[in-house]
Amino acid sequence: MAQPPLRKLGFLTIGLFDEADPRRGHESTLALIELGERLGFDSAWVRHRHLQYGISSPIAVLAAASQRTSRIELGTAVIPLGWENPLRLAEDLATVDVLSGGRLNPGVSVGPPGHYDQVKDALYPDSADLEDFSYERVRRLLGFVRGEAATGFRGVEGFEEFSDRVQPHSPGLGRRMWYGGAGLRSARWAGEQGMNFLTSSVVKAEESEDFAEIQLSHIREFRAHHPDGDRARVSQGLVVIPTDSASPEQRARYEAYAAKRLPRTAAPQGPARMLFSPDLVGTSAEIADRLHAHAAFQEVDEVAFALPFTFEHDDYVQILTDMASELGPALGWRPSA
């Protein structure tokens, strides 16, 4: 049976910046999102990094992006909820969704913050040992976003009017919430909650050591438990580097980058048995052939290809341009007007 055409093409960036000049890096990220819209991409996604030199406040960055674009969807992949208060985050998400005209696609995940022992006294000085980092944290966020009551009081007090749910309320946002999962349990839970599912270039090697086979099992588990079944949205986020218009120097650098990262893909890493997918580097025709042979890609019709972490702005411009003009069409995609 023929591979269905790719319906939605997106990209993902970490938004690195220099500590001595953070504005330049943030402006580069915004410029790439603007370029993505001009090239016809359906979505642009930003990663989330705390106490590092990447985007620490994706909602603020996407608020700015919402005012520089008019069509492209704006996503987070992903916000780690261990760093967030679900009620306050729901307010921020709804506000940016309203400002963007309903284009926000918030992706989230759970678990304790990274390096929790080092950061917990700064993050939760009075409740570090009481915080719940389970799926319940996501469920609370979903409830607030979808309009569940946050308090038992609503009405007028003096000259002020109070709501019992998060304001502003953006009715469509609840259907655009994504969960970033790497294991079967997460895939099942996200499906049961009626969320969308983000897969990436990292999975847990629970039942196999074949990356595509594992990712395929997650997609099927998610859809088996989702109210929409096979129509439930899944986005795949592999690292993809087309070289069609790259200079010889760029091509050599891209290949060296992928080669350096290749050894970690040979076997599961660490106690959690995390398995990484190889980066896909080559012409768009070569990459399209590899994707069409990828068992998990065969099950999706939307992607958010990840940009490499450490390249220069001009490199990203070349990669995005080739994605939109060469790779997307090779996958059956057509740019948005």
Side-chain angles (χ1 to χ4, degrees):
M1 189 169 64
Q3 170 81 29
L6 185 65
R7 185 173 57 90
K8 286 182 174 287
L9 176 64
F11 69 92
L12 167 65
T13 180
I14 194 173
L16 287 182
F17 58 85
D18 186 333
E19 182 180 17
D21 186 12
R23 178 173 179 171
R24 181 170 177 268
H26 285 79
E27 287 290 342
S28 171
T29 295
L30 293 172
L32 292 177
I33 295 173
E34 291 179 276
L35 173 64
E37 176 159 285
R38 292 196 300 273
L39 291 171
F41 277 87
D42 298 287
S43 62
W45 302 72
V46 294
R47 292 186 185 271
H48 198 155
R49 290 291 185 269
H50 287 295
L51 303 179
Q52 295 179 261
Y53 306 108
I55 295 170
S56 62
S57 185
I59 301 307
V61 170
L62 294 183
S66 76
Q67 303 306 292
R68 301 190 187 194
T69 56
S70 61
R71 177 197 55 76
I72 194 168
E73 295 184 4
L74 305 168
T76 64
V78 289
I79 297 174
L81 289 190
W83 294 80
E84 306 289 341
N85 178 294
L87 176 57
R88 276 291 302 117
L89 180 58
E91 292 177 326
D92 287 346
L93 295 176
T95 299
V96 176
D97 196 47
V98 168
L99 289 172
S100 71
R103 291 185 284 138
L104 193 63
N105 282 263
V108 300
S109 66
V110 294
H115 304 98
Y116 191 51
D117 286 343
Q118 286 75 44
V119 77
K120 65 181 182 180
D121 290 339
L123 188 57
Y124 299 116
D126 301 314
S127 60
D129 297 330
L130 302 176
E131 292 294 329
D132 181 359
F133 298 124
S134 71
Y135 291 132
E136 175 61 17
R137 210 174 186 93
V138 187
R139 197 210 62 76
R140 287 172 56 207
L141 175 66
L142 283 177
F144 294 141
V145 166
R146 291 171 175 173
E148 291 181 7
T151 173
F153 172 73
R154 67 177 299 162
V156 178
E157 187 177 87
F159 294 102
E160 298 188 65
E161 185 174 359
F162 291 84
S163 171
D164 61 354
R165 67 178 185 174
V166 164
Q167 297 296 339
H169 176 64
S170 188
L173 183 57
R175 296 190 299 275
R176 283 179 272 111
M177 297 293 295
W178 297 73
Y179 190 82
L184 275 172
R185 180 168 172 252
S186 292
R188 183 183 312 118
W189 186 87
E192 292 168 349
Q193 306 309 307
M195 300 182 75
N196 307 303
F197 191 56
L198 287 166
T199 65
S200 71
S201 57
V202 189
V203 297
K204 290 182 180 178
E206 296 169 313
E207 70 276 22
S208 167
E209 292 190 7
D210 181 291
F211 182 94
E213 181 180 291
I214 296 169
Q215 195 168 61
L216 175 62
S217 73
H218 295 170
I219 294 169
R220 291 181 172 172
E221 183 76 4
F222 165 73
R223 287 177 167 156
H225 291 84
H226 196 286
D228 293 340
D230 289 343
R231 293 178 292 107
R233 292 180 68 185
V234 177
S235 180
Q236 187 188 46
L238 303 179
V239 178
V240 172
I241 311 174
T243 60
D244 302 84
S245 67
S247 68
E249 186 274 335
Q250 284 176 315
R251 197 172 299 117
R253 187 151 35 83
Y254 299 166
E255 291 170 353
Y257 174 88
K260 185 176 181 180
R261 287 156 50 94
L262 186 61
R264 68 177 186 165
T265 70
Q269 305 292 303
R273 289 181 54 79
M274 305 306 290
L275 187 64
F276 294 82
S277 171
D279 302 332
L280 303 183
V281 182
T283 67
S284 289
E286 292 168 341
I287 292 174
D289 286 344
R290 293 178 68 181
L291 287 172
H292 282 140
H294 195 290
F297 179 81
Q298 294 170 11
E299 296 276 319
V300 303
D301 65 358
E302 54 186 296
V303 296
F305 289 140
L307 297 176
F309 282 3
T310 57
F311 290 2
E312 297 297 323
H313 182 87
D314 289 346
D315 298 331
Y316 296 137
V317 169
Q318 175 264 310
I319 291 169
L320 291 179
T321 301
D322 283 357
M323 278 186 188
S325 63
E326 302 291 341
L327 178 57
L331 298 172
W333 172 81
R334 293 295 176 265
S336 297

